[in-house]
Amino acid sequence: MEVPEDKLMRLEKPKEKIGQLLVRHTGLEQDQLEEALSIQEETGMLLGEILLQKDYITPQDITKVICYQLEIPYLDEINVDDINPDLTADIPINYAKQKELLPLLQTDDEFTIVLSDPFKSDIISDLREIFQKDILIAVAPSKVIEDAINKVYERANKNIVDSLEDEFEENLDLEGPIDILDAGADEAPVIRFVNSIIFRAVKERSSDIHIEPYEKETVYRFRINGIMTEILRQPLKTQAAVSSRLKVMAKLDIAEKRLPQDGRIKIKMAGKDVDIRLSTVPIQNGERIVMRVLEKTGKIMDLEGLGFRGSLLEELDALSKRKHGVVYVTGPTGSGKTTTLFALLDRINSPDKMIITVEDPVEYEISGISQIQVNSKIDLTFPRALRAIVRQDPDVIMVGETRDKETAMMAIEASLTGHFVLSTLHTNDAASAPNRLIDMGVQPFLIASSLAAILAQRLIQTLCDECKEPYEMTASELEILQVEELPEWADTYRASEGCAKCNFKGYMGRTTVCELLMITDEVKPLILQKSDAGSVKRLAMKQGMVTLRQNAVEKIFRGLTSVDEVIRAIQEEEEDNS
């Protein structure tokens, strides 16, 4: 945008009376001016105010004359084609519209803007601070500026989307699928960008993709082996295009940005089925998006593959043969509860067993098991599905999650009428589960009579077999882990700087650490008395229960994981909960 530099001046003292300038540069007549001056002499009102009341001039006329008087350029129109849209990068569109300003041009020392009001010194101060340059101004009508803002920022957004591909190539591997929702290589850059993000997440075995808009940029992070890892950063303006693309894929309302939304994306990636659960939440700088990535391999991991062994595996085998009772798997989100439940179901699954599940969503599809997808939009809730399931005469029922009293009661009643029920619950350890059910409103005698066992678990990273280093634990580490001495059979390792196989992380995959609380005749009275979790845990340990920490320490001794990882995942959590 070309503006005569000799007219871009700071405010100076007026050189000519405003009345004569109005006559010269507007439609004001000389006799109208003299009439207004007479009224001013009688009333003391401002000349401009009198002329406006008489409808002899418009506010725009006054602004135009003031600009002429102060030698500030006044623009009746703005040629947006001459404005470089990159100038808007550090001026949010909301700020531009609120303050009625638009950048016009910049040099090494100066930054020129157009304003609707030449006396907005606060804007000039703000921009001087942002750009560290002298701020020069031109003036234009509000409507002209508003139209120009829309056009220039629209061009800026288009440039951002077009540049996503180039920015992406600098940060991520573009070798990705071309069959994600039938999107080909000739599709828009934002589509290729989103497809490549998903492809890399699957390639690196990420369980979650986090897209987080902050003040000036959007951060992309993966959760790999339970650890959040930053992947790249993009300008904040790119977030809207990416968000819209993901909402289209999930069949969500792209115009709704004020409320949380949940959706699901089913895609094919290089011939593989991938299920993505998408959640959006409005935050200060946009929408925060989290995607849970589930690769459908068609194969359920067995208990051994998940890390269960020894007496613990034998107890789970015995539980899988029960005819009735409730077994809860507990732990925080992302601790592998559902995977363990399906490993148990796979062990139970046989032609002589009738198994029905109710889930939200259906994460694994198993032949021989009837699976119901919860759908709140048609009021197909966990309790309603459970009522229907019981009438189907199943042998085994799996409830994806026990969220409320109604679901808990239905599960307990089903177990008391001869069904074996599996479900998940959110508690920190096994001993806390009975009190969690009591807090929901379930009577202690029902819990004691129906509960068979509670399995609490976590997932911890396993060392890379290719690059792990032999390591001798120190006395202080043994003390932290509450171990008196190192067993003779222990073979301990620590993570190295990594290798190509583990993507230079030192860890490769995860394993389960757990504790299994059996509801014995000795434990039931404590439940009836509503005893605290500590009392239940102490009794269970006397009866031989191996705690989460003890199970994790055993995996250190077997060379599967490191001291640092156990302290991070187990020990610190125990200290936080103590």
Side-chain angles (χ1 to χ4, degrees):
M1 182 73 188
E2 294 186 3
V3 178
E5 293 189 11
D6 60 339
K7 292 189 177 181
L8 295 171
M9 303 175 64
R10 294 170 181 79
L11 305 184
E12 298 177 358
K13 292 182 179 180
K15 298 178 179 179
E16 189 173 354
K17 290 185 177 182
I18 192 168
Q20 292 303 320
L21 290 172
L22 285 167
V23 170
R24 188 190 310 169
H25 296 286
T26 71
L28 181 67
E29 300 290 343
Q30 182 65 37
D31 58 344
Q32 292 174 331
L33 174 61
E34 291 176 357
E35 178 188 350
L37 289 172
S38 298
I39 296 173
Q40 183 185 39
E41 188 175 347
E42 293 174 3
T43 64
M45 292 174 62
L46 295 175
L47 178 63
E49 185 179 348
I50 297 168
L51 292 171
L52 287 172
Q53 285 183 356
K54 290 286 187 178
D55 202 22
Y56 291 158
I57 62 171
T58 66
Q60 185 175 325
D61 290 332
I62 293 180
T63 302
K64 184 184 295 186
V65 167
I66 289 175
C67 288
Y68 180 85
Q69 194 176 31
L70 300 177
E71 299 186 21
I72 296 173
Y74 185 89
L75 310 175
D76 291 307
E77 61 180 23
I78 298 174
N79 188 349
V80 295
D81 294 332
D82 290 343
I83 299 176
N84 183 352
D86 292 342
L87 294 176
T88 65
D90 293 315
I91 303 177
I93 187 170
N94 291 339
Y95 180 84
K97 287 187 172 182
Q98 179 186 357
K99 302 295 186 180
E100 296 182 340
L101 74 93
L102 183 68
L104 295 180
L105 57 88
Q106 71 171 329
T107 64
D108 291 340
D109 302 316
E110 297 173 334
F111 194 87
T112 304
I113 61 172
V114 58
L115 295 168
S116 63
D117 183 347
F119 298 104
K120 290 184 177 179
S121 58
D122 59 323
I123 296 175
I124 297 172
S125 299
D126 290 345
L127 296 182
R128 186 182 293 117
E129 183 69 25
I130 292 172
F131 295 104
Q132 295 296 305
K133 295 181 178 182
D134 289 336
I135 304 300
L136 306 182
I137 65 171
V139 174
S142 297
K143 185 65 171 66
V144 172
I145 293 177
E146 182 182 351
D147 291 342
I149 287 172
N150 291 333
K151 293 175 182 177
V152 173
Y153 277 83
E154 182 179 352
R155 286 174 55 211
N157 286 335
K158 184 178 184 301
N159 288 351
I160 289 165
V161 171
D162 290 343
S163 69
L164 276 173
E165 183 180 18
D166 295 334
E167 294 184 30
F168 185 67
E169 287 176 347
E170 297 175 3
N171 294 281
L172 293 178
D173 181 6
L174 268 174
E175 292 182 6
I178 62 170
D179 56 348
I180 295 184
L181 294 188
D182 298 324
D186 60 342
E187 296 289 346
V190 67
I191 295 178
R192 292 197 293 276
F193 178 84
V194 169
N195 290 354
S196 300
I197 287 282
I198 296 172
F199 176 72
R200 178 170 175 179
V202 174
K203 182 179 178 181
E204 297 192 10
R205 294 181 295 277
S206 169
S207 62
D208 301 272
I209 303 169
H210 291 249
I211 303 174
E212 308 162 49
Y214 293 107
E215 184 177 1
K216 293 185 177 180
E217 58 190 356
T218 301
V219 177
Y220 291 75
R221 296 198 290 171
F222 290 171
R223 186 180 292 279
I224 302 173
N225 291 340
I227 306 296
M228 292 292 282
T229 304
E230 184 175 314
I231 301 303
L232 79 159
R233 293 172 178 251
Q234 293 287 335
L236 179 61
K237 294 179 183 178
T238 64
Q239 198 265 346
V242 172
S243 174
S244 294
R245 171 57 184 163
L246 289 169
K247 286 181 177 179
V248 168
M249 294 172 73
K251 297 180 174 61
L252 299 178
D253 183 357
I254 64 172
E256 180 55 76
K257 299 179 180 181
R258 301 165 301 171
L259 297 173
Q261 294 189 73
D262 293 302
R264 191 171 185 179
I265 303 171
K266 292 184 177 181
I267 58 177
K268 273 191 174 296
M269 177 174 291
K272 296 180 180 179
D273 290 323
V274 178
D275 193 7
I276 297 174
R277 292 154 59 182
L278 182 142
S279 171
T280 72
V281 175
I283 61 174
Q284 183 176 2
N285 299 296
E287 288 182 286
R288 192 182 194 282
I289 298 173
V290 177
M291 293 181 282
R292 171 67 58 87
V293 182
L294 300 167
E295 185 177 349
K296 293 190 172 182
T297 61
K299 181 181 178 182
I300 301 299
M301 290 190 68
D302 55 25
L303 291 172
E304 292 86 350
L306 293 175
F308 295 94
R309 60 182 304 278
S311 60
L312 184 61
L313 184 60
E314 293 173 2
E315 288 178 312
L316 289 175
D317 269 330
L319 282 171
S320 67
K321 295 179 174 63
R322 286 182 65 104
K323 302 295 183 184
H324 60 85
V326 183
V327 174
Y328 282 110
V329 181
T330 76
T333 301
S335 58
K337 300 186 294 296
T338 303
T339 304
T340 297
L341 279 182
F342 274 99
L344 272 169
L345 285 178
D346 192 49
R347 221 172 186 85
I348 298 169
N349 192 15
S350 62
D352 63 330
K353 295 285 187 182
M354 195 324 206
I355 304 174
I356 302 181
T357 73
V358 52
E359 308 166 56
D360 183 22
V362 173
E363 295 185 8
Y364 304 93
E365 295 181 12
I366 308 178
S367 177
I369 296 179
S370 300
Q371 297 171 263
I372 299 173
Q373 166 74 55
V374 167
N375 188 343
S376 58
K377 293 181 180 178
I378 58 173
D379 198 31
L380 181 57
T381 59
F382 279 112
R384 187 169 185 177
L386 269 171
R387 291 190 196 96
I389 286 174
V390 172
R391 293 194 289 269
Q392 294 280 315
D393 190 30
D395 297 298
V396 180
I397 300 171
M398 194 276 274
V399 183
E401 183 180 350
T402 299
R403 300 174 178 174
D404 49 41
K405 177 184 177 181
E406 191 175 5
T407 306
M409 287 298 299
M410 288 294 300
I412 288 172
E413 288 171 8
S415 73
L416 294 175
T417 54
H419 303 88
F420 183 48
V421 181
L422 299 170
S423 187
T424 67
L425 195 66
H426 284 279
T427 63
N428 291 322
D429 58 11
S432 300
N435 283 338
R436 176 76 182 99
L437 293 170
I438 291 171
D439 290 342
M440 286 183 181
V442 182
Q443 293 296 326
F445 74 90
L446 290 174
I447 300 170
S449 58
S450 62
L451 205 54
I454 304 153
L455 177 71
Q457 68 175 58
R458 300 289 187 277
L459 293 176
I460 61 172
Q461 296 184 98
T462 52
L463 292 166
C464 175
D465 288 333
E466 294 291 324
C467 63
K468 64 182 182 182
E469 301 174 343
Y471 174 69
E472 186 174 340
M473 291 177 62
T474 64
S476 62
E477 289 172 336
L478 290 172
E479 183 179 353
I480 290 173
L481 296 174
Q482 301 177 27
V483 177
E484 293 183 1
E485 60 181 359
L486 201 66
E488 293 182 2
W489 51 268
D491 192 14
T492 56
Y493 292 83
R494 66 181 175 188
S496 68
E497 294 182 357
C499 62
K501 181 180 178 182
C502 63
N503 202 21
F504 301 96
K505 297 183 183 299
Y507 293 92
M508 184 80 170
R510 290 190 289 179
T511 188
T512 305
V513 294
C514 55
E515 60 185 23
L516 181 62
L517 170 61
M518 301 298 295
I519 307 302
T520 62
D521 290 339
E522 291 77 19
V523 172
K524 289 180 180 179
L526 294 182
I527 296 176
L528 291 170
Q529 297 163 17
K530 300 182 182 181
S531 298
D532 61 272
S535 300
V536 175
K537 185 173 184 176
R538 285 190 291 273
L539 176 59
M541 290 176 67
K542 287 181 182 178
Q543 295 180 336
M545 182 184 80
V546 177
T547 66
L548 279 166
R549 179 181 50 78
Q550 290 169 338
N551 187 230
V553 168
E554 181 187 346
K555 292 184 185 292
I556 294 176
F557 293 161
R558 295 189 180 280
L560 296 175
T561 191
S562 67
V563 174
D564 290 342
E565 175 63 8
V566 169
I567 291 175
R568 180 197 68 81
I570 306 296
Q571 189 73 20
E572 288 182 358
E573 181 179 303
E574 288 185 349
E575 291 173 357
D576 290 342
N577 293 327
S578 61

